[in-house]
Amino acid sequence: MWQTFGAVLRASWQQLAAESAVLLPNLLAAAAIVVVGLVVGFVAGRLTGWAARLARIDSAASRLGILGPLSRVGIASVVPVAARTVQWTIVLLAFVPALYSLDAGLASELVGRALLFLPHLAVAVVMLWAGCVLSRFLGRGVLIAAVNAEMRSARLLSGATRAGVVLVAAAVAFEHLGIGRATVLAAFAILLGGVTLAAAIAVGLGSQDAVRRWWAEGQSRDRHPDQAGPIRHW
Amino acid sequence: MRGRDILPAGARRAIDGLGHADVVVGIPSFNNARTIGHVVEATHAGLVKYFPNKRTLIVNSDGGSTDGTPDIVTGLSMPPADILLISHPLFPVHRLTIPYHGIPGKGSAFRGIFEVAQIVGASACAVVDSDLRSINPEWVQLLAAPVVEHGFDYVAPYYFRHKYDGTITNNIVYPLTRALYGVQVRQPIGGDFGMSGRLAAHFLAQDVWDTDVARFGIDIWMTTTAICGGFRVGQAYLGTKLHDAKDPGADLSDMMVQVLGTVFSLMETHEGVWASTTGSAPTPLMGFRFAVGVEPLAVDVERMAAMFRSGVENLCGVWEAAFDASDIDRLREAACPSAGPLRLPDDLWVRLIYGLACAYHHRALDRQHLIRSSLPLYMGRVASFVTEVAGMDATQVEERLERLCLHFEAMKPYLLERWRTRLPRRVAAH
């Protein structure tokens, strides 16, 4: 029995050693590729950060309306974002040949899927960016109109407009990517319904004063000639 | 839309049937049934009395009134000449109502009137508002006679107004136009003007009728175009100007966009003229000057100051695109309640207006947003101005405005420098 047990152990060890001898170079190659990717990614990230600062990318981002929305989520500068994006893109790209060295079939399938997904991702990013720019424009318009209409909650209205537009853009982008399609749509519908109802109630309550003012102004038009008229600006 | 396209076919046939007219008086209207009868009567009497030997025509250019305005114009029976104590004219005064095509607005209505004046070969044309309560027959003579008899091409009105009246004119349009083009036209956006047939044809030939000129920008556009085109410009003293009370309800923000947008846009068109102009010269004033009683005006200074403070609280991020940081700091100081009554001094006001013009020129911000965001600033200036002149009489107020105009003229180098230097855009929080 002990002889058989020893033979099985030897055979297993020999098989492991044989398979390891086949796999180990691939594994080492994969590890080396990842390490090189990490190093290159780190260096490229640093270089990107330096170049981005030199090119005043933050000014350009603020002009394009990108920095405003980012600052709201705690990102004060685009430079580290660009640096990290380059760094981790290189690291991720390094994983592709590493994966190929381990299992060419699996790697090929994964890369194929990723390549098919990339155009959708790009479109979604553009949608989000357009949403941010539009939200900034509309938010500013609402803010100015609200101040000119002597509304006290001008900033709130402006913020709500921005958030609403960004939310719509995000919902459309997620819908395009096919991520949580039903959940995103349902959440969006519920939120929009809630906001509409709240706005309707707010307008209803708030317009009491406006109607009263309008009525008072209408009365003052038929004023007595001796009474003071409203100021004429032009 | 060019040539006769603005006039419908029916109107063209009616005009062709009239033949020639020497003097045309145009009345733009939209739902002015309450007042237009008086305007037409006064205009008719003025034409009969002062131009008895001329062929004359009253044109009502209507923007689709639903209150019977055009019917009043054509159906009105005029008092006989002997009641008006005037001799019988050689020719009847024709009356015509035309609907116009194109962008709804005062400018499009004027375009229809100019078109008619050109078709009938008029040598003089005058336009008067349809909501006037103070117009009298002399206005027709004062606006048209300088053209017919003295060779003027453009006659701007000169009114006696309440010291709080016409604050956009007093604080922005008059001083800015004067400083830019060196011509002192006191009411550049007055609304009632006289012009030669030659100038009306020049107006018609310009490709501006799809812009804000088609709306309320028309007045300042005509004045500026006449000045920059080298036409002979004069002013006529018309006394006081009283309107129908419905007008002040118009949206001030829209008005500012149309008027200031046109002023700033004209600065781009005529940069070659204003950049080399220094100082200003008086414009001939015709008519007998007399003091008249004016309507009292109610000004809610506190409300205006509150709007200014709200603007400073919320819009500084927007204004950063147009103004220097030091100017915004001064605005913040002025808005501080502990600073006492709101004061926006002349030099700051001039810097703000010039800053707006340059930001408009450099497209530092969406142009509509830029001008609309200036409404709280304007309200602050009006509040400051009203407080300052509260105890002044009309003469003192004019002297005060003269000082403001001199500030505008003196600070023109600042405008030029800013106009020619593209400012770096700053991060706008809003």
Side-chain angles (χ1 to χ4, degrees):
Chain A
M1 194 192 85
W2 284 110
Q3 277 183 343
T4 310
F5 178 70
V8 169
L9 265 183
R10 268 196 305 279
S12 301
W13 177 250
Q14 278 166 358
Q15 194 177 349
L16 177 68
E19 286 189 6
S20 293
V22 173
L23 201 63
L24 198 61
N26 292 20
L27 207 61
L28 285 173
I33 290 168
V34 169
V35 169
V36 169
L38 283 168
V39 172
V40 172
F42 177 77
V43 173
R46 283 297 175 99
L47 282 174
T48 305
W50 173 75
R53 263 188 290 274
L54 207 68
R56 297 174 189 275
I57 197 174
D58 277 337
S59 306
S62 90
R63 254 204 320 273
L64 293 169
I66 299 167
L67 199 59
L70 287 177
S71 64
R72 291 217 173 349
V73 291
I75 299 169
S77 168
V78 192
V79 173
V81 176
R84 296 256 162 78
T85 306
V86 169
Q87 181 182 347
W88 289 107
T89 304
I90 289 173
V91 172
L92 275 175
L93 286 174
F95 269 96
V96 176
L99 210 58
Y100 264 103
S101 67
L102 291 173
D103 186 339
L106 177 69
S108 179
E109 194 186 330
L110 283 176
V111 168
R113 281 190 190 180
L115 284 176
L116 281 177
F117 190 67
L118 269 180
H120 294 286
L121 190 68
V123 171
V125 168
V126 169
M127 282 174 176
L128 263 178
W129 171 77
C132 289
V133 172
L134 187 66
S135 76
R136 188 168 178 255
F137 181 82
L138 294 179
R140 192 172 58 207
V142 167
L143 179 71
I144 293 167
V147 169
N148 287 352
E150 299 170 66
M151 291 181 178
R152 288 184 182 178
S153 49
R155 271 178 191 273
L156 186 70
L157 279 172
S158 169
T161 305
R162 282 172 172 220
V165 175
V166 169
L167 203 70
V168 170
V172 172
F174 279 123
E175 161 75 14
H176 184 76
L177 290 175
I179 298 171
R181 193 167 281 174
T183 315
V184 168
L185 275 179
F188 178 67
I190 291 166
L191 194 67
L192 190 69
V195 167
T196 309
L197 182 66
I201 292 169
V203 168
L205 292 173
S207 60
Q208 289 178 30
D209 284 342
V211 170
R212 201 177 295 131
R213 268 206 306 274
W214 171 78
W215 181 255
E217 280 169 13
Q219 298 294 308
S220 70
R221 278 176 199 162
D222 300 323
R223 68 188 188 281
H224 188 273
D226 290 341
Q227 282 182 287
I231 188 169
R232 291 187 63 85
H233 296 275
W234 51 91
Chain B
M1 199 180 290
R2 297 196 64 79
R4 291 180 167 194
D5 288 356
I6 194 160
L7 300 175
R12 288 208 298 271
R13 279 194 297 277
I15 297 160
D16 290 337
L18 287 173
H20 172 73
D22 299 301
V23 180
V24 169
V25 178
I27 308 170
S29 68
F30 179 67
N31 287 339
N32 299 106
R34 200 154 70 162
T35 50
I36 199 163
H38 170 68
V39 177
V40 173
E41 280 178 353
T43 306
H44 177 95
L47 288 171
V48 169
K49 184 175 179 182
Y50 294 106
F51 302 99
N53 303 323
K54 303 281 186 190
R55 292 176 189 273
T56 56
L57 171 65
I58 297 172
V59 182
N60 165 227
S61 185
D62 189 72
S65 297
T66 54
D67 64 348
T69 298
D71 299 333
I72 292 173
V73 175
T74 49
L76 203 65
S77 57
M78 293 299 162
D82 49 354
I83 289 181
L84 295 170
L85 299 176
I86 52 180
S87 56
H88 287 275
L90 284 179
F91 307 101
V93 178
H94 291 289
R95 268 177 284 159
L96 183 71
T97 287
I98 53 162
Y100 60 83
H101 291 163
I103 296 171
K106 186 178 177 183
S108 293
F110 274 25
R111 187 186 177 195
I113 293 163
F114 300 154
E115 198 75 54
V116 173
Q118 191 175 48
I119 293 168
V120 300
S123 58
C125 177
V127 283
V128 290
D129 283 342
S130 53
D131 63 347
L132 290 168
R133 290 193 277 126
S134 59
I135 185 172
N136 58 50
E138 280 64 46
W139 281 35
V140 176
Q141 189 244 352
L142 286 162
L143 291 173
V147 177
V148 175
E149 294 162 14
H150 302 290
F152 280 91
D153 284 302
Y154 190 70
V155 184
Y158 192 112
Y159 309 113
F160 186 86
R161 304 179 79 166
H162 190 278
K163 61 186 176 184
Y164 301 154
D165 204 3
T167 36
I168 285 184
T169 301
N170 289 346
N171 285 283
I172 306 176
V173 183
Y174 167 54
L176 183 57
T177 308
R178 169 177 159 170
L180 287 173
Y181 305 108
V183 180
Q184 296 172 12
V185 177
R186 184 65 184 82
Q187 301 287 339
I189 54 173
D192 312 295
F193 300 96
M195 71 208 73
S196 62
R198 185 172 76 101
L199 181 55
H202 179 75
F203 286 156
L204 271 180
Q206 309 305 308
D207 185 20
V208 292
W209 302 102
D210 292 325
T211 66
D212 278 335
V213 169
R215 301 185 179 92
F216 280 113
I218 182 71
D219 295 338
I220 189 59
W221 177 80
M222 290 198 307
T223 303
T224 308
T225 305
I227 292 169
C228 295
F231 292 91
R232 198 172 164 212
V233 177
Q235 301 177 99
Y237 185 76
L238 302 178
T240 187
K241 179 173 185 172
L242 303 177
H243 286 258
D244 194 22
K246 75 171 186 179
D247 225 26
D251 185 6
L252 184 57
S253 181
D254 285 342
M255 277 286 295
M256 285 192 74
V257 168
Q258 291 170 31
V259 175
L260 287 193
T262 305
V263 172
F264 295 156
S265 170
L266 284 164
M267 285 175 72
E268 294 185 318
T269 308
H270 300 297
E271 185 182 344
V273 178
W274 66 260
S276 56
T277 303
T278 50
S280 66
T283 303
L285 177 61
M286 291 152 281
F288 180 71
R289 290 192 68 167
F290 55 97
V292 283
V294 287
E295 272 188 321
L297 290 175
V299 185
D300 190 344
V301 173
E302 278 312 309
R303 189 175 162 187
M304 289 178 171
M307 191 170 171
F308 168 75
R309 291 190 176 106
S310 168
V312 172
E313 190 186 330
N314 293 291
L315 298 178
C316 280
V318 177
W319 294 339
E320 278 173 7
F323 309 135
D324 285 339
S326 58
D327 294 336
I328 292 179
D329 287 343
R330 289 179 71 186
L331 287 172
R332 286 201 177 100
E333 283 168 23
C336 191
S338 60
L342 177 56
R343 282 276 189 277
L344 283 188
D346 285 356
D347 70 307
L348 176 59
W349 179 241
V350 177
R351 287 172 68 91
L352 295 178
I353 295 298
Y354 284 167
L356 280 174
C358 295
Y360 185 94
H361 172 56
H362 294 307
R363 293 181 184 270
L365 200 67
D366 173 75
R367 287 177 160 181
Q368 285 231 3
H369 284 179
L370 180 75
I371 297 178
R372 284 185 199 279
S373 76
S374 68
L375 186 61
L377 295 174
Y378 165 71
M379 286 298 180
R381 172 65 190 183
V382 174
S384 167
F385 180 78
V386 166
T387 309
E388 192 183 339
V389 304
M392 295 184 187
D393 61 25
T395 311
Q396 289 170 320
V397 172
E398 278 304 310
E399 287 167 2
R400 175 71 190 79
L401 288 173
E402 180 64 21
R403 287 204 299 278
L404 174 65
C405 291
L406 293 176
H407 257 106
F408 267 89
E409 290 177 16
M411 289 176 69
K412 213 167 155 188
Y414 170 78
L415 168 67
L416 266 171
E417 186 195 342
R418 214 176 161 87
W419 184 270
R420 288 171 176 166
T421 313
R422 190 173 176 83
L423 300 167
R425 296 186 194 196
R426 274 162 288 182
V427 178
H430 291 285

